[in-house]
């Protein structure tokens, strides 16, 4: 056999070996992807994929994969307390393998079907110039807000999104529905517009078209840079919050993996490093009863129908009761 022919056969053999190795590596990668524990939830948020990437990079025992389509089956959920409670009532969850995590009893399911991991509070967004002119000390809690005469308040339309409905339901759970609706009546002299999107209120305060806004911490957090002309303030005594909770699907065989991810969420500095800049707050210690009581949750409106009924009452009492209110996009 000639030298050139032998060289050709050797080269061909090497190519075939590389192709086989590549196929094997691809199969291994596909198999690893198939073995990954799927986690879904937090729609329209980039935080969950970032948390999953940080968990996988931490070298833990399990491999997680983000499932962006919440309608598809998944092993685990990280979503609002309201949504995981609905899954619990539908019999779609299994009890968590909880360790001795210092999570307050009010922030987890009594039968361990879900466990709170962080929360998103409703905050006051205050224009710096307004605060200098009127005095920051005048803004303390929810009941001092109606006393800010001549202030211009930007609000979202509270029936447009699940987030605003959750805010309304949490406030009504704390105050009582009648008092809550009356409270919004006291805000009407301040509220010139109701925005359709969170960014509307934020832009109005930043641009000086409004002095104050009620918004969620996670919505405004990306804009809070050193030169942003406004700051956030959590009302003293408590505020409505959206609690985010972790749960494992009833059909999943990855209970141990779910327990490991939950432990990492609650204890790892890397998780808090991602959550805090995104506007999410860690849970208070179980022993801090005052801090736990300051987290106002929707405890009265148990299902979507009850929340929608409350939202309809808000529309009839507040929006239709004053047809001069404008809705801005």
């Amino acid at each position: 056999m000639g030298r050139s022919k032998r060289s050709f056969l050797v080269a061909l053999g090497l190519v075939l070996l590389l192709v086989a190795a590549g196929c094997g590596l691809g199969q291994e990668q596909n198999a690893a992807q198939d073995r990954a524990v799927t986690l879904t939830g937090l729609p329209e948020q980039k935080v969950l994929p970032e948390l999953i990437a940080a968990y996988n990079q931490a070298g833990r025992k399990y491999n997680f994969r983000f499932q962006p389509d919440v309608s598809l089956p998944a092993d685990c959920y990280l979503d609002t307390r309201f949504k995981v409670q609905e899954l619990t009532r539908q019999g779609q969850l299994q009890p968590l393998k909880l360790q001795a995590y210092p999570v307050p009893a009010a922030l987890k399911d009594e039968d361990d079907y879900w466990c709170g991991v962080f929360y998103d509070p409703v905050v006051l967004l205050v224009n710096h110039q307004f605060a200098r002119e009127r005095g920051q000390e005048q803004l303390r809690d929810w009941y001092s807000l109606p006393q800010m005469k001549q202030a211009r308040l930007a609000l979202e339309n509270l029936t447009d999104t699940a987030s605003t409905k959750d805010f309304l339901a949490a406030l009504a759970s704390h105050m009582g529905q009648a008092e809550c609706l009356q409270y919004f009546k006291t805000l009407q002299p301040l509220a010139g517009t109701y925005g359709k999107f969170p960014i509307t209120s934020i832009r109005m305060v930043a641009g000086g078209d409004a002095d104050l806004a009620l918004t969620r911490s996670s919505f405004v957090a990306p804009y809070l840079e050193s030169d942003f002309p406004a700051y956030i303030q959590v009302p003293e005594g408590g505020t409505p919050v959206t609690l985010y909770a972790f749960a494992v699907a009833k059909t999943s065989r990855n209970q141990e993996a779910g327990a490991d991810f939950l432990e990492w969420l609650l204890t790892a500095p890397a998780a808090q490093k991602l959550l805090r800049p995104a506007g999410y707050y860690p849970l208070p210690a179980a022993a801090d009863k005052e801090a736990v009581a300051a987290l106002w949750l929707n405890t009265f409106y148990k299902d979507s129908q009850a929340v929608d009924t409350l939202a309809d009452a808000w529309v009839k009492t507040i929006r239709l009761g004053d047809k001069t209110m404008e809705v801005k996009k």
Side-chain angles (χ1 to χ4, degrees):
M1 184 182 296
R3 179 179 298 176
S4 61
K5 188 173 183 179
R6 284 198 301 272
S7 299
F8 171 77
L9 291 175
V10 170
L12 179 61
L14 289 173
V15 170
L16 292 175
L17 284 173
L18 290 172
V19 170
C23 290
L25 180 59
Q27 291 173 351
E28 289 178 2
Q29 289 175 337
N30 290 335
Q33 188 76 349
D34 291 339
R35 290 195 301 270
V37 184
T38 53
L39 177 57
T40 192
L42 281 172
E44 302 177 355
Q45 298 284 354
K46 65 177 183 177
V47 174
L48 187 49
E50 291 177 349
L51 286 171
I52 291 172
Y55 171 88
N56 290 337
Q57 291 168 6
R60 309 285 285 203
K61 181 179 178 181
Y62 304 97
N63 178 43
F64 273 74
R65 175 169 59 86
F66 177 50
Q67 169 57 272
D69 190 344
V70 295
S71 66
L72 295 177
D75 291 294
C76 304
Y77 301 91
L78 179 54
D79 218 314
T80 65
R81 169 180 171 267
F82 189 80
K83 289 186 178 180
V84 295
Q85 281 183 320
E86 285 190 330
L87 293 173
T88 303
R89 287 192 294 270
Q90 294 166 5
Q92 296 188 35
L93 302 179
Q94 60 179 293
L96 295 165
K97 292 191 174 182
L98 289 173
Q99 306 298 324
Y101 303 140
V103 177
L107 305 180
K108 62 183 178 182
D109 181 65
E110 60 182 0
D111 295 316
D112 293 337
Y113 282 102
W114 54 266
C115 180
V117 286
F118 52 86
Y119 67 93
D120 185 9
V122 174
V123 296
L124 280 167
L125 181 63
V126 186
N127 180 277
H128 278 304
Q129 183 175 349
F130 173 79
R132 287 193 295 267
E133 293 175 353
R134 299 292 297 273
Q136 183 177 350
E137 66 279 358
Q138 295 187 49
L139 276 174
R140 302 179 308 278
D141 54 25
W142 281 86
Y143 292 99
S144 66
L145 185 58
Q147 308 304 318
M148 303 299 293
K149 306 300 183 184
Q150 307 303 317
R152 298 167 300 167
L153 176 65
L155 279 170
E156 291 175 62
N157 194 44
L158 298 187
T159 61
D160 284 343
T161 66
S163 175
T164 53
K165 289 180 181 180
D166 191 50
F167 158 42
L168 180 60
L171 193 63
S173 292
H174 179 77
M175 291 183 172
Q177 181 168 319
E179 183 178 344
C180 177
L181 295 176
Q182 180 59 37
Y183 176 81
F184 279 104
K185 281 188 175 182
T186 67
L187 293 182
Q188 282 184 317
L190 309 182
T193 60
Y194 286 97
K196 290 182 66 67
F197 307 105
I199 189 61
T200 303
S201 299
I202 296 170
R203 283 175 175 169
M204 289 181 68
V205 173
D209 296 315
D211 303 310
L212 308 164
L214 288 173
T215 187
R216 261 72 71 220
S217 174
S218 66
F219 288 153
V220 72
Y223 306 100
L224 293 178
E225 299 176 353
S226 58
D227 58 346
F228 191 72
Y231 65 93
I232 63 170
Q233 178 176 331
V234 180
E236 296 176 10
T239 191
V241 304
T242 296
L243 178 67
Y244 288 89
F246 185 84
V248 176
K250 186 176 182 179
T251 55
S252 176
R253 296 182 180 180
N254 292 290
Q255 300 95 328
E256 297 289 348
D260 191 71
F261 194 91
L262 176 58
E263 179 187 13
W264 180 82
L265 274 174
L266 291 170
T267 62
Q272 297 304 317
K273 187 176 180 180
L274 288 171
L275 292 170
R276 289 177 182 273
Y280 298 108
Y281 288 55
L283 302 185
D288 193 344
K289 299 186 183 301
E290 185 175 344
V292 175
L295 307 184
W296 300 348
L297 299 169
N298 169 21
T299 56
F300 185 79
Y301 303 90
K302 301 298 185 181
D303 53 36
S304 298
Q305 183 177 357
V307 172
D308 287 340
T309 300
L310 170 65
D312 289 342
W314 183 84
V315 169
K316 292 175 182 177
T317 305
I318 306 303
R319 296 305 314 280
L320 297 183
D322 188 348
K323 295 183 180 180
T324 63
M325 291 295 181
E326 177 188 0
V327 177
K328 282 196 172 185
K329 294 184 179 181

